[in-house]
Amino acid sequence: MTTSNTGTGDVDPAVREELARLRDSIDNIDAAVVHMLAERFKATQQVGHLKAIHQLPPADPDREARQIERLRALAENAKLDPAFAEKFLNFIIAEVIRHHERIAEDTVAHHPAPPR
């Protein structure tokens, strides 16, 4: 499967078909990634509410370090660049912490602590 050499830029129909098949697969994977991230954020929102109610800090550096180490190992086993996987997880962690901070602020605003 190669492109023709006619100089017109025409692409062999078999190449177009293979590109379409691969792109459909990529589109399906992208959809799955979005749905998995949505499920992950539903769970982390629940964690954020639990932390806010119990006045726990939004960030947990020890857990984050363990998660990064775990994800790097998973990436290596999957033949994915561990540095890329770490950057991706750090991006997600930053967003989760931002959500947890907002949840904590909202919880305090709507449910102030009783006077001591």
Side-chain angles (χ1 to χ4, degrees):
M1 290 193 284
T2 61
T3 58
S4 66
N5 285 333
T6 63
T8 63
D10 292 334
V11 177
D12 182 328
V15 172
R16 286 187 192 274
E17 187 176 311
E18 181 69 1
L19 277 171
R21 185 188 68 75
L22 291 168
R23 288 175 175 160
D24 285 346
S25 180
I26 290 166
D27 292 349
N28 288 339
I29 293 166
D30 288 347
V33 167
V34 167
H35 287 284
M36 293 299 294
L37 283 171
E39 286 302 310
R40 188 185 197 288
F41 277 101
K42 285 179 190 174
T44 61
Q45 293 285 23
Q46 292 174 348
V47 168
H49 286 287
L50 191 59
K51 285 180 171 183
I53 290 166
H54 295 281
Q55 299 177 344
L56 297 170
D60 184 345
D62 290 337
R63 167 143 170 90
E64 293 157 21
R66 288 191 310 272
Q67 285 296 93
I68 289 168
E69 184 178 320
R70 180 178 158 271
L71 193 73
R72 286 184 66 92
L74 288 170
E76 284 183 33
N77 288 336
K79 308 293 186 244
L80 179 67
D81 179 5
F84 169 77
E86 183 174 346
K87 287 178 195 173
F88 183 70
L89 185 60
N90 281 328
F91 176 77
I92 291 171
I93 289 170
E95 187 68 9
V96 167
I97 291 170
R98 191 177 67 77
H99 290 180
H100 289 185
E101 289 169 344
R102 190 177 66 237
I103 291 167
E105 290 169 4
D106 291 347
T107 300
V108 168
H110 293 100
H111 305 286
R116 294 180 188 190

